[in-house]
Amino acid sequence: MFKGIQINKDEAGYRASLEQIDEAALPEGDVTVQVEWSTLNYKDGLAITGKSPVVRRFPMVPGIDLAGTVTASSHADWKAGDKVVLNGWGVGETHWGGLAQVACLRGDWLVPLPAAFSARQAMAIGTAGYTAMLCVLALEKHGIKPADGEILVTGANGGVGSVAIALLAKLGYTVVASTGRAEEEAHLKALGASAVIDRNELSQPGKPLGKERWAGVVDAVGSHTLANACATTKYRGAVAACGLAQGMGFPSSVAPFILRGVTLYGIDSVMAPKAVRLEAWARLARDLDIGKLDAISREISLGETIGVAAEILEGKVRGRVVVDVNR
Ligand code: NDP
């Protein structure tokens, strides 16, 4: 038996609870992992509360991320004792996930725990941090250099936003953080933001084009915020869109794209190929300041995830939440 969060949906309704689960009930997979740490992402909040139809099978163990040690493997790449990280691939949605002490997974989904990080640090990064790195890589590959000007980061106090600020600042970019939490200005500046703006400046319906300001954008918010970010991106600049914290809509026009040559990059972490993941984790190991990672993360127990899941959807969580699945 092992401890895990389980989501059920039946005539009694949609509910998540901490349960003792029989190992015999684990889904099929060629690698068994003793989970040491997991984390709570925005998507886990949606899954645990049922606010969005993230979970596709019941019962489900949520948790799109995990870090731990392989205990059994019939996959050529992995053997008992290997330290591994998993992000996405539908885990926690269609396949039992990381908010449990044991997981049975496909070896193809796993990446090695980078030597630079402990399992706990890898989960302080989690899908949010790995996605922030994917966004930064998209801007870099577009050719945006620090000298080109300011980079806008939206949803600045969230997981993606916090890690993106820390990474961009370390790489020498001038970062402008957009937030609804003005009281966190000092924290965002300590992370590396040069300036902080009120998210209301971006979140209302805007014009097709505005004054050119951003060399690049990391957007975790979507909706009018993404539309306004595109409308105020400089000629031939780029926007990396990864999130929908404000909304799924994109009430924009083609003006920024056809008149200013702005490029909109779509960032998906869930099904990203292994080579992309390995590149992102290698760059996180190189470019993420561990001290800043500690400053943006806090720890909770497995049982506490149910309450914190609701908080993350209300935008009340700052930075990253690490889950000790053995507590
Ligand atoms: P968090 O909940 O940690 O952060 C989201 C942040 O967005 C909040 O902290 C808040 O920042 C801001 N925000 C919340 N509500 C609103 C609103 N109504 N209007 C404007 N801003 C708002 O989530 P994550 O950082 O983990 O994820 C951010 C988004 O990215 C989510 O939508 C998530 O689903 C998505 N995502 C996508 C991935 C992909 O593969 N494409 C992978 C990972 C995440 P502040 O308080 O500073 O304003």
Side-chain angles (χ1 to χ4, degrees):
M1 302 294 281
F2 65 94
K3 223 167 39 160
I5 302 293
Q6 208 165 47
I7 299 174
N8 279 285
K9 187 185 175 192
D10 51 29
E11 47 299 337
Y14 190 102
R15 62 203 182 278
S17 51
L18 180 62
E19 300 290 343
Q20 286 292 331
I21 304 168
D22 192 337
E23 286 209 28
L26 279 164
E28 270 185 37
D30 47 15
V31 179
T32 306
V33 176
Q34 188 75 44
V35 183
E36 283 148 26
W37 296 91
S38 185
T39 172
L40 210 63
N41 291 278
Y42 190 89
K43 192 185 263 180
D44 300 314
L46 293 173
I48 290 172
T49 60
K51 273 221 166 133
S52 212
V54 165
V55 176
R56 304 289 176 177
R57 280 186 203 154
F58 299 91
M60 177 57 59
V61 173
I64 66 171
D65 285 328
L66 63 87
T69 305
V70 172
T71 54
S73 167
S74 58
H75 188 284
D77 292 353
W78 308 107
K79 59 180 188 320
D82 287 343
K83 299 275 187 193
V84 292
V85 172
L86 176 129
N87 308 110
W89 291 117
V91 171
E93 302 178 58
T94 55
H95 187 100
W96 284 14
L99 289 171
Q101 292 174 305
V102 183
C104 195
L105 304 155
R106 282 181 48 190
D108 290 346
W109 294 337
L110 301 169
V111 296
L113 174 69
F117 301 124
S118 65
R120 188 182 184 286
Q121 286 164 337
M123 288 297 97
I125 296 167
T127 285
Y130 141 65
T131 302
M133 190 75 239
L134 293 178
C135 292
V136 171
L137 285 168
L139 299 185
E140 258 187 16
K141 286 178 182 169
H142 189 76
I144 299 170
K145 305 273 187 303
D148 293 332
E150 294 171 313
I151 308 291
L152 171 68
V153 174
T154 65
N157 274 298
V160 173
S162 303
V163 177
I165 292 168
L167 287 169
L168 288 162
K170 172 96 182 281
L171 292 165
Y173 291 96
T174 304
V175 183
V176 176
S178 166
T179 184
R181 287 181 261 184
E183 68 277 13
E184 297 293 353
E185 177 164 351
H187 167 72
L188 294 170
K189 286 189 168 165
L191 274 184
S194 301
V196 175
I197 61 170
D198 187 330
R199 76 184 189 199
N200 286 330
E201 285 183 32
L202 293 160
S203 62
Q204 308 304 317
K207 295 183 184 147
L209 287 175
K211 191 167 179 294
E212 292 178 51
R213 178 160 182 191
W214 320 114
V217 178
V218 173
D219 178 61
V221 168
S223 188
H224 292 295
T225 300
L226 175 58
N228 287 323
C230 291
T232 49
T233 294
K234 289 204 245 185
Y235 191 76
R236 291 185 74 83
V239 177
C242 73
L244 42 58
Q246 184 183 359
M248 179 95 98
F250 181 41
S252 182
S253 79
V254 296
F257 313 113
I258 65 170
L259 298 176
R260 290 191 181 154
V262 169
T263 301
L264 179 59
Y265 288 98
I267 305 298
D268 170 60
S269 65
V270 181
M271 304 306 286
K274 190 159 181 173
V276 172
R277 291 164 188 266
L278 291 173
E279 182 187 14
W281 277 101
R283 286 294 305 275
L284 284 160
R286 199 192 85 179
D287 296 324
L288 186 61
D289 183 336
I290 296 280
K292 288 183 179 171
L293 187 61
D294 292 341
I296 62 166
S297 49
R298 70 172 163 121
E299 186 183 312
I300 62 171
S301 68
L302 195 52
E304 287 172 294
T305 55
I306 296 170
V308 180
E311 287 174 28
I312 201 167
L313 298 188
E314 291 161 14
K316 288 186 184 157
V317 169
R318 190 184 85 175
R320 302 277 303 127
V321 178
V322 195
V323 181
D324 182 350
V325 299
N326 297 304
R327 178 159 75 83

